[in-house]
Amino acid sequence: MTIQNHFPYVNNKMFAENVALHDIAEQVGTPFYCYSNTAIAENFQHYQQAFSDQEVLICYAIKANSNQAVLTTLAKLGSGADVVSEGEIRRARAAGISAAKIVYSGVAKSASEIEYALSEGIFQFNVESEPELKLISQIATRLEKVAAIAFRINPDVCANTHEKISTGKAENKFGVPISQAKIAYRRAAELPGIKVQGVDVHIGSQLTELAPFEEAYKRIAQLVTELKEDGHDIQVIDIGGGLGITYDNEVIPPKTHYAAIAKTQLGHLNCKIVIEPGRSLLGNAGILVSRVVFVKTGEERQFLILDAGMNDLVRPSMYEAHHEILAVNKANAAMKTYDVVGPVCETGDTFAKARSVNICQSGDLIAIMSSGAYGAVMASTYNTRMLAPEVMVKDNEYAIIRHRPSYEEVINADAVPNWV
Ligand code: LLP
């Protein structure tokens, strides 16, 4: 069972902090995403506390959830941002995150994106290849700027996570192979417009054990030592994101243990540590609330058909991900086994198979838990279904932080050429 302290049951009805989900559903309609502001803040503060004895910059990986209200919450707590596009830089800046706290990752930064990042004066480019380095050097030289860089090193470590979100194996597209790192750094040091500043590593997402981090950091420590011997002034080690969350019954190591590993493996190098957590800040701080449209009895199974679908939350269909599915009103304690599915015209539009849920009727509210990260940001309008709105709750207040678009907004975004 997922532990989500900020979505408690009070008299058998689920709340977000001190607001009944029924009340939000009445006003906003379903489906909608709902985030606990307090949970987000606490998750961030737990990282701050865990790393309090190290020089650390926490750069929230904003791809996990880039709503401006989420970013503003974290910006006010002092967070920086790990970004992967110009759009994300713009979002971070709009939320008040200083450019001096932005690290820019990603395998395919375009020339115009690099130019924008340089004009903003971001803290660090996490460079993924030599062609990218050359492009950054050319653009920085033309603009008479200096780009502070780290290479993202692929340490060839198995993260023991889903293959679609594992990034640190030699076969993955990410980073510079550790075997080629020293040559890459030597070339970088010779290029104009480039300041070699750090080393970066990110081995994957939803890691549930510390051993792969430990192994990766060990390899990075060795590399940093050698780079320093070669005369490079390495001041920053970016250790990426990836600490998992409890979706089902995973036991996640405490953030203090994660921080201790960073300290043990890297502390002696006297570098500033950058961390890029995404999921572990937002995942358990958000849920997707949906209504049962029909309860359908098939030949072999009972289906709970929801008004949320794979277009709203793609993780179950894309990664076979488990999300807890809870009745918002569990006054009726009797349980039943359902296949929980969405309305989209694809068999893959399935949230859970053979799942035990409180007996439901058409119109009942369902909460799909742990949906705060990689939920709303990966949503689409497939089947011309409107993007689900997002709501943020803090104590007994709530606000719509992204509205549900109107059909007109969506249809009018298309243009019909006059020669059609
Ligand atoms: N840094 C880099 C360079 C990344 O690529 C990622 C995630 C992070 C940090 C944040 O990792 P986190 O702390 O969130 O694990 N859509 C997938 C997850 C994709 C992760 C991509 N990179 C999912 O829903 O599971």
Side-chain angles (χ1 to χ4, degrees):
M1 174 67 69
T2 318
I3 303 156
Q4 293 191 276
N5 297 334
H6 296 286
F7 298 96
Y9 281 99
V10 181
N11 296 330
N12 284 325
K13 303 231 167 70
M14 192 187 288
F15 277 57
E17 303 202 20
N18 288 316
V19 181
L21 290 174
H22 275 111
D23 293 345
I24 304 177
E26 282 302 307
Q27 193 209 331
V28 178
T30 54
F32 65 93
Y33 278 96
C34 181
Y35 311 121
S36 157
N37 180 277
T38 307
I40 297 169
E42 281 180 10
N43 290 337
F44 183 82
Q45 284 155 349
H46 289 157
Y47 270 114
Q48 279 182 319
Q49 286 152 13
F51 280 88
S52 58
D53 61 347
Q54 302 180 55
E55 195 196 341
V56 73
L57 173 61
I58 307 174
C59 290
Y60 167 55
I62 78 177
K63 63 167 80 71
N65 184 322
S66 52
N67 187 289
Q68 293 302 132
V70 169
L71 299 184
T72 304
T73 300
L74 290 167
K76 286 192 171 165
L77 293 167
S79 185
D82 167 50
V83 302
V84 291
S85 67
E86 178 173 339
E88 287 192 348
I89 301 176
R90 287 179 183 269
R91 279 191 173 277
R93 299 289 293 121
I97 296 176
S98 118
K101 289 184 179 176
I102 294 179
V103 294
Y104 185 5
S105 308
V107 288
K109 303 172 186 78
S110 71
S112 62
E113 290 183 309
I114 292 167
E115 186 160 339
Y116 181 74
L118 280 167
S119 70
E120 285 291 294
I122 63 162
F123 176 65
Q124 179 167 292
F125 288 83
N126 288 339
V127 179
E128 302 237 6
S129 65
E130 289 209 42
E132 183 194 332
L133 178 75
K134 283 191 192 133
L135 184 60
I136 295 174
S137 165
Q138 280 164 14
I139 297 171
T141 308
R142 172 164 55 79
L143 299 177
E144 297 180 355
K145 306 246 181 211
V146 175
I149 68 111
F151 276 108
R152 174 168 177 181
I153 301 302
N154 186 327
D156 194 17
V157 168
C158 179
N160 291 337
T161 185
H162 191 281
E163 59 168 321
K164 284 190 186 152
I165 51 175
S166 170
T167 55
K169 290 283 292 164
E171 71 222 38
N172 300 133
K173 69 179 175 183
F174 297 98
V176 173
I178 195 159
S179 56
Q180 297 170 16
K182 288 174 72 176
I183 301 168
Y185 274 92
R186 208 168 303 145
R187 295 212 183 109
E190 289 164 1
L191 281 179
I194 297 289
K195 175 187 157 208
V196 170
Q197 155 177 305
V199 174
D200 167 47
V201 67
H202 171 80
I203 56 173
S205 196
Q206 184 54 14
L207 273 71
T208 55
E209 45 192 31
L210 292 178
F213 288 118
E214 192 166 24
E215 184 55 38
Y217 301 165
K218 202 175 278 176
R219 293 182 191 190
I220 291 301
Q222 179 61 32
L223 174 65
V224 171
T225 305
E226 290 173 22
L227 290 174
K228 286 186 171 193
E229 283 164 9
D230 286 354
H232 300 288
D233 185 16
I234 304 296
Q235 294 169 359
V236 177
I237 303 177
D238 181 338
I239 60 174
L243 193 60
I245 62 168
T246 302
Y247 284 100
D248 186 5
N249 48 20
E250 305 91 334
V251 179
I252 306 299
K255 295 185 177 81
T256 44
H257 292 190
Y258 171 71
I261 279 183
K263 191 172 182 186
T264 311
Q265 298 301 331
L266 307 168
H268 61 286
L269 298 163
N270 295 321
C271 287
K272 181 190 194 98
I273 300 295
V274 173
I275 60 172
E276 304 172 348
R279 188 192 314 267
S280 49
L281 293 179
L282 259 294
N284 284 335
I287 61 176
L288 175 61
V289 180
S290 176
R291 227 179 251 289
V292 176
V293 184
F294 299 116
V295 183
K296 175 169 161 180
T297 307
E299 220 159 74
E300 295 175 6
R301 293 158 186 269
Q302 286 266 322
F303 294 99
L304 267 191
I305 309 180
L306 306 185
D307 65 2
M310 64 189 287
N311 70 299
D312 300 301
L313 177 68
V314 76
R315 302 195 69 262
S317 13
M318 190 155 177
Y319 314 110
E320 296 87 40
H322 177 103
H323 286 257
E324 287 289 307
I325 294 180
L326 302 176
V328 168
N329 182 347
K330 58 172 193 182
N332 180 355
M335 308 292 280
K336 201 166 203 166
T337 302
Y338 297 104
D339 277 11
V340 185
V341 302
V344 171
C345 301
E346 298 209 19
T347 305
D349 185 24
T350 297
F351 291 114
K353 288 202 166 139
R355 192 69 75 76
S356 177
V357 184
N358 290 71
I359 290 185
C360 284
Q361 293 173 354
S362 170
D364 286 352
L365 291 175
I366 291 289
I368 306 180
M369 309 305 286
S370 309
S371 305
Y374 306 112
V377 283
M378 293 180 77
S380 77
T381 55
Y382 186 40
N383 281 202
T384 305
R385 293 167 40 76
M386 300 301 100
L387 289 180
E390 295 172 272
V391 172
M392 184 176 271
V393 177
K394 186 175 185 184
D395 193 9
N396 55 9
E397 286 188 279
Y398 71 95
I400 296 172
I401 58 171
R402 191 181 69 193
H403 73 275
R404 191 187 309 277
S406 68
Y407 288 115
E408 289 71 29
E409 277 178 74
V410 171
I411 294 171
N412 292 340
D414 298 354
V416 182
N418 59 12
W419 39 260
V420 166

